[in-house]
Amino acid sequence: FKHAIAYDNNHRQDFHTIVPKHIPEELYWVEEELQIFKTLQEERRLREEAMRAKAEKTARMEAETKERTMKSFLLSQKHIVYTEPLDVQAGSSVTVYYNPANTVLNGKPEIWFRCSFNRWTHRLGPLPPQKMLPAENGTHVKATVKVPLDAYMMDFVFSEREDGGIFDNKSGMDYHIPVFGGVAKEPPMHIVHIAVEMAPIAKVGGLGDVVTSLSRAVQDLNHNVDIILPKYDCLKMNQVKDFQFHKSYFWGGTEIKVWFGKVEES
């Protein structure tokens, strides 16, 4: 209209018509606010559904990744030890296959299986030693045990005799295989990382990000995590909560002071 030359404005009176069933201006704005509220409510519902779907997808992918990783780990030990079934279920029987040819028990005339559950803390205690029998594939020996319903971890070692002798305890770490479907859950572990960096309070390169990301991942598995690092003067203390002196001790003629604080609600 800016560059128009001719107008039809009803001889400068413009055209007007009556709008039937109009509502007062106050009611119009009430209705407008209601529509805006409904629109915002629907947008919020869609956002929450999208976030919930994303969280479910992430949890599903993490569970699948964890399962694949665990199976890969169990299969990586197959030249020494494996189970049938591969996924040990609480309340069922499992057969453990062991190849002494790849261990310190190579050449021993007998192999004895010593087993317990829940990181050797099960209420039934260690099971009686069981002499392992030759397996069908020749190099392995086998033993079958019943897994209790309240088991979350299967623990075992091997020995040359019923009364002991030489042990294969995986260089002092023992053999551990997770148990699925039990009525008891594994209590959280207390895991400590010793590092020189930690994002975001002491970060120079990528190491600080790795330390924090790894700690978060471990916490997501319901474990407790502490990170020990030097008390640099450059620490970003505004991102550390409840920072306080804990104790001090001497080591090698040097006084060591220990401080505690929380980062990222961890």
Side-chain angles (χ1 to χ4, degrees):
F1 302 121
K2 185 175 182 182
H3 303 290
I5 298 174
Y7 288 89
D8 178 7
N9 57 10
N10 196 20
H11 303 292
R12 295 189 177 183
Q13 296 186 36
D14 299 336
F15 293 94
H16 305 278
T17 185
I18 297 175
V19 178
K21 296 183 180 180
H22 76 284
I23 62 175
E25 185 176 1
E26 296 81 4
L27 292 179
Y28 167 80
W29 287 113
V30 170
E31 182 68 21
E32 189 72 10
E33 287 179 0
L34 182 60
Q35 291 301 322
I36 293 173
F37 173 74
K38 288 182 178 180
T39 300
L40 294 175
Q41 207 172 33
E42 178 65 11
E43 291 176 351
R44 178 179 178 180
R45 185 185 67 81
L46 293 175
R47 282 197 307 271
E48 290 178 346
E49 284 186 357
M51 291 172 61
R52 187 161 50 248
K54 182 179 180 181
E56 290 174 354
K57 181 180 179 181
T58 300
R60 186 168 60 253
M61 291 176 62
E62 288 179 348
E64 292 172 354
T65 300
K66 182 180 178 182
E67 182 179 359
R68 286 196 303 269
T69 302
M70 180 58 66
K71 286 187 175 180
S72 298
F73 168 71
L74 295 176
L75 289 173
S76 70
Q77 302 184 104
K78 194 169 184 178
H79 65 291
I80 296 178
V81 62
Y82 68 95
T83 62
E84 285 187 0
L86 186 63
D87 291 338
V88 179
Q89 298 291 327
S92 65
S93 294
V94 60
T95 301
V96 178
Y97 291 83
Y98 176 65
N99 183 6
N102 294 318
T103 72
V104 295
L105 298 181
N106 181 30
K108 300 299 180 183
E110 295 181 352
I111 303 295
W112 289 78
F113 178 71
R114 301 166 179 273
C115 174
S116 186
F117 301 93
N118 299 354
R119 299 193 181 276
W120 303 101
T121 65
H122 193 266
R123 56 186 175 80
L124 298 179
L127 301 181
Q130 182 181 162
K131 184 178 179 180
M132 303 189 78
L133 303 175
E136 294 75 16
N137 58 9
T139 58
H140 286 69
V141 289
K142 65 180 181 178
T144 301
V145 295
K146 176 79 173 186
V147 182
L149 282 171
D150 58 350
Y152 54 79
M153 187 71 66
M154 183 176 180
D155 321 292
F156 50 90
V157 297
F158 306 93
S159 65
E160 63 172 331
R161 299 194 308 267
E162 183 178 7
D163 60 351
I166 297 175
F167 281 83
D168 173 15
N169 57 9
K170 203 177 180 182
S171 301
M173 299 177 63
D174 301 340
Y175 291 91
H176 304 281
I177 293 180
V179 175
F180 300 96
V183 296
K185 300 299 180 183
E186 182 174 11
M189 291 187 290
H190 189 176
I191 298 171
V192 178
H193 297 294
I194 301 177
V196 295
E197 294 184 31
M198 176 190 178
I201 62 171
K203 170 177 160 54
V204 176
L207 177 61
D209 294 317
V210 172
V211 170
T212 303
S213 299
L214 177 60
S215 300
R216 277 204 210 102
V218 172
Q219 278 189 324
D220 289 342
L221 297 175
N222 298 319
H223 298 302
N224 301 315
V225 182
D226 281 337
I227 300 175
I228 298 176
L229 73 161
K231 184 178 177 291
Y232 302 115
D233 292 337
C234 62
L235 286 180
K236 297 179 180 178
M237 301 306 300
N238 61 330
Q239 300 194 51
V240 182
K241 295 183 178 179
D242 302 327
F243 190 70
Q244 55 187 323
F245 176 75
H246 177 62
K247 63 181 293 186
S248 66
Y249 63 94
F250 285 88
W251 183 79
T254 302
E255 184 181 11
I256 309 296
K257 294 182 178 181
V258 181
W259 301 73
F260 277 173
K262 295 181 180 180
V263 179
E264 295 188 348
E265 299 298 330
S266 59

